[in-house]
């Protein structure tokens, strides 16, 4: 009889511990936090300095100060003469302690490549640069969406993207937002996008974006110019809306490193 009781208690203890471990894992996943930084870095040329002055440490310091999981960068130089023929995406990843990075080329410029970049603490896969549409008659600068699948430590996977939309023509921005929406609708994973949309919240292009994406701000603080900013044009957004809860949205008061203010957000990953 004592043998049977001992075995029963052993099995009961194992069951309870297993249940506790499963519950702990569930809570861990429920409370997983995703932190995102979005920054148009002006090819690391501080506006207060001359055109040839490059300060990579200033940009890297913004990243390390916030310790984000993922970073969306715009106006990134790779092997371009004006910035000293350096790979800014790789250098910023190294300086900020990010294990993974991906550069998405938009155009040839000054002997090298110019575009957007993703930095990540977590493993990236499925990296892709998607060309965004524009009316050929506008002769606008080509724009892209760079994307990658991110797998976090607890196994949560999502697609992360960065973009820099048309600056002059709202008609082109509308076309580009529509292309981003079509891409989002093709995914089976949640999608987080961040970038310089070159459009204010009340614009038709951002209204269109809001039909698919939930931005991390509603009454968005301005992000440009860095001194006495007046316009919010840099945003972080996600879809579907029920995958995340916005815990924090902040426009960072960093007025030296670039001509845009960085945007930082903390998201809670919600149980599905």
């Amino acid at each position: 009889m004592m043998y049977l009781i001992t075995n029963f208690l052993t099995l009961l203890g194992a069951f309870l511990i297993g249940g506790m471990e499963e519950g702990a894992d569930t809570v861990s996943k429920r409370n997983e936090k995703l932190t995102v930084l979005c920054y148009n870095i002006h090819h690391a040329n501080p506006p207060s300095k001359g055109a040839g002055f490059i300060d990579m440490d200033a940009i890297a310091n913004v990243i390390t100060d916030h310790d984000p999981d993922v970073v969306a960068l715009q106006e990134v130089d790779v092997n371009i003469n004006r910035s000293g023929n350096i790979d800014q995406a790789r250098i910023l990843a190294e300086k900020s302690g990010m294990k993974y990075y991906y550069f998405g080329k938009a155009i040839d410029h000054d002997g090298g490549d110019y575009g957007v970049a993703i930095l990540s603490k977590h493993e990236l896969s499925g990296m892709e640069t998607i060309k965004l549409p524009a009316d050929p008659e506008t002769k606008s600068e080509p724009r892209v969406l760079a994307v990658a699948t991110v797998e976090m430590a607890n196994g949560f996977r999502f697609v992360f993207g960065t973009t820099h939309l048309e600056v002059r023509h709202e008609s082109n921005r509308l076309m580009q937002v529509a292309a981003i929406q079509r891409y989002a609708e093709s995914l089976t994973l949640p999608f987080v996008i961040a970038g310089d949309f070159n459009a204010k919240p009340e614009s038709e292009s951002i209204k269109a974006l809001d039909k698919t994406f939930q931005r991390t701000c509603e009454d968005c603080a301005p992000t440009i110019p860095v001194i006495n900013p007046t316009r919010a044009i840099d945003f972080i957004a996600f879809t579907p809306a029920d995958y995340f809860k916005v815990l924090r949205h902040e426009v960072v008061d960093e007025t030296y490193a670039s001509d845009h203010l960085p945007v930082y957000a903390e998201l809670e990953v919600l149980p599905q």
Side-chain angles (χ1 to χ4, degrees):
M1 176 65 72
M2 183 61 69
Y3 173 80
L4 293 175
I5 292 173
T6 302
N7 276 352
F8 173 76
L9 291 175
T10 300
L11 290 170
L12 179 62
F15 173 79
L16 290 174
I17 291 171
M20 288 172 63
E21 288 176 345
E22 181 179 355
D25 183 60
T26 301
V27 170
S28 172
K29 289 185 178 181
R30 180 179 300 121
N31 295 332
E32 182 77 16
K33 188 169 69 172
L34 169 64
T35 53
V36 183
L37 183 73
C38 177
Y39 203 5
N40 180 325
I41 66 169
H42 194 247
H43 63 276
N45 168 230
S48 62
K49 301 292 186 178
F53 187 88
I54 301 298
D55 194 338
M56 299 295 289
D57 288 335
I59 302 296
N61 288 342
V62 174
I63 299 170
T64 55
D65 285 349
H66 288 81
D67 192 29
D69 289 298
V70 288
V71 182
L73 301 177
Q74 304 85 47
E75 297 196 12
V76 180
D77 281 2
V78 172
N79 302 323
I80 288 180
N81 293 326
R82 69 178 176 186
S83 54
N85 299 295
I86 59 175
D87 185 339
Q88 292 190 335
R90 178 184 61 80
I91 291 171
L92 287 173
E94 291 175 352
K95 285 181 174 290
S96 59
M98 295 294 201
K99 292 184 179 179
Y100 306 94
Y101 74 94
Y102 174 66
F103 172 74
K105 176 181 175 178
I107 61 171
D108 296 322
H109 183 73
D110 194 20
D113 302 328
Y114 177 70
V116 297
I118 293 170
L119 312 183
S120 176
K121 285 183 180 179
H122 311 283
E123 186 173 355
L124 300 178
S125 62
M127 291 79 80
E128 184 180 6
T129 300
I130 301 164
K131 293 182 179 180
L132 297 177
D135 182 349
E137 292 186 2
T138 62
K139 298 180 180 179
S140 296
E141 179 182 306
R143 304 288 172 159
V144 299
L145 168 68
V147 295
T149 299
V150 182
E151 182 164 350
M152 298 184 71
N154 75 332
F156 176 69
R157 297 169 70 239
F158 67 99
V159 176
F160 185 60
T162 179
T163 194
H164 186 187
L165 298 191
E166 158 76 34
V167 65
R168 292 184 298 150
H169 301 282
E170 177 74 335
S171 59
N172 283 342
R173 285 193 295 271
L174 284 166
M175 293 171 63
Q176 291 162 4
V177 167
I180 292 169
Q181 289 172 315
R182 288 192 296 271
Y183 173 78
E185 290 164 0
S186 74
L187 299 174
T188 57
L189 293 175
F191 182 29
V192 178
I193 187 170
D196 175 358
F197 289 82
N198 271 318
K200 296 185 289 186
E202 62 270 22
S203 68
E204 291 304 312
S205 51
I206 298 303
K207 288 179 182 177
L209 182 80
D210 290 346
K211 292 178 181 179
T212 301
F213 291 86
Q214 174 71 53
R215 283 181 289 126
T216 56
C217 58
E218 292 182 3
D219 184 15
C220 302
T223 58
I224 193 171
V226 291
I227 305 300
N228 299 319
T230 58
R231 293 175 291 139
I233 63 173
D234 302 89
F235 304 108
I236 299 167
F238 55 86
T239 187
D242 60 359
Y243 263 85
F244 303 99
K245 176 183 177 182
V246 181
L247 302 178
R248 180 182 176 189
H249 172 93
E250 175 190 359
V251 174
V252 181
D253 186 20
E254 162 47 67
T255 60
Y256 164 75
S258 175
D259 61 346
H260 285 241
L261 296 173
V263 179
Y264 174 77
E266 295 179 359
L267 305 175
E268 181 183 358
V269 180
L270 299 176
Q272 298 299 307

